[in-house]
Amino acid sequence: MAAIRWNVRPEANRPGRIVERLHREVNRLFSELSPGRGAEGGGVFPLVNISEDDENLFIRAEMPGIGTDEVELSVTSDRITISGERKVEAEGMLNAHRREREGGHFNRTLQMPVRIDPEKATAVFKCGILKIAVPKAKETEARQVKIQYEE
């Protein structure tokens, strides 16, 4: 008589269940490692909100603990770059249990949804919030060009 292995939960070993469990674990692993999703030390910095009205784009970047001398702002016709350095106080010989705010250099380039006028950009930094206002570029109108005939 052949010995048959008895399984209390036969549905747990179905190939589909194994693949589903593997899929869940891989998703969990990647969600923990993804920037801005709870991974220690990960994330995008600075966090920004971009909004607009009929004439301007408004960018609000949160940068707590950073001074104006540690931030640089660069504006082109379609991008805004915020760069600088966030310094973290030395904690000596303390053992950290959780560290979510990292120090070091940062560089965030934002692609604008419309063309902007970099010459008229303004920026105000107050209480760790950088507020940038940039007017939308005036669209150039198409003009008729007379074609000359050469022989």
Side-chain angles (χ1 to χ4, degrees):
M1 172 156 95
I4 299 174
R5 185 176 179 147
W6 182 69
N7 193 346
V8 177
R9 298 180 340 164
E11 71 279 352
N13 290 331
R14 281 194 1 235
R17 294 274 188 197
I18 294 170
V19 171
E20 287 174 12
R21 190 171 67 221
L22 177 63
H23 188 260
R24 274 195 315 271
E25 288 300 313
V26 169
N27 284 342
R28 183 187 60 77
L29 174 66
F30 280 109
S31 70
E32 288 178 2
L33 296 176
S34 296
R37 302 221 193 263
E40 289 189 31
V44 177
F45 185 83
L47 297 175
V48 298
N49 289 341
I50 301 174
S51 56
E52 68 178 310
D53 63 12
D54 291 339
E55 299 173 1
N56 300 294
L57 282 177
F58 302 100
I59 297 90
R60 180 180 174 193
E62 297 182 358
M63 298 185 284
I66 295 180
T68 56
D69 57 332
E70 299 167 325
V71 178
E72 291 182 11
L73 180 64
S74 172
V75 181
T76 65
S77 62
D78 63 346
R79 289 190 176 109
I80 292 181
T81 301
I82 304 168
S83 57
E85 182 176 6
R86 179 164 57 176
K87 297 175 182 167
V88 177
E89 297 176 14
E91 297 173 350
M93 298 300 291
L94 297 176
N95 291 327
H97 290 281
R98 186 171 188 96
R99 186 178 187 118
E100 293 181 353
R101 291 190 58 193
E102 292 294 328
H105 293 279
F106 61 88
N107 187 356
R108 179 103 192 253
T109 300
L110 306 166
Q111 180 72 37
M112 296 294 103
V114 295
R115 308 271 305 159
I116 56 177
D117 186 355
E119 298 297 321
K120 297 180 182 174
T122 60
V124 176
F125 194 72
K126 182 178 178 185
C127 299
I129 306 291
L130 176 63
K131 294 180 181 179
I132 306 164
V134 186
K136 295 178 183 178
K138 302 293 182 205
E139 296 298 324
T140 56
E141 294 181 19
R143 66 181 184 95
Q144 293 291 336
V145 177
K146 184 172 181 169
I147 302 171
Q148 298 178 7
Y149 179 74
E150 288 185 10
E151 291 185 35

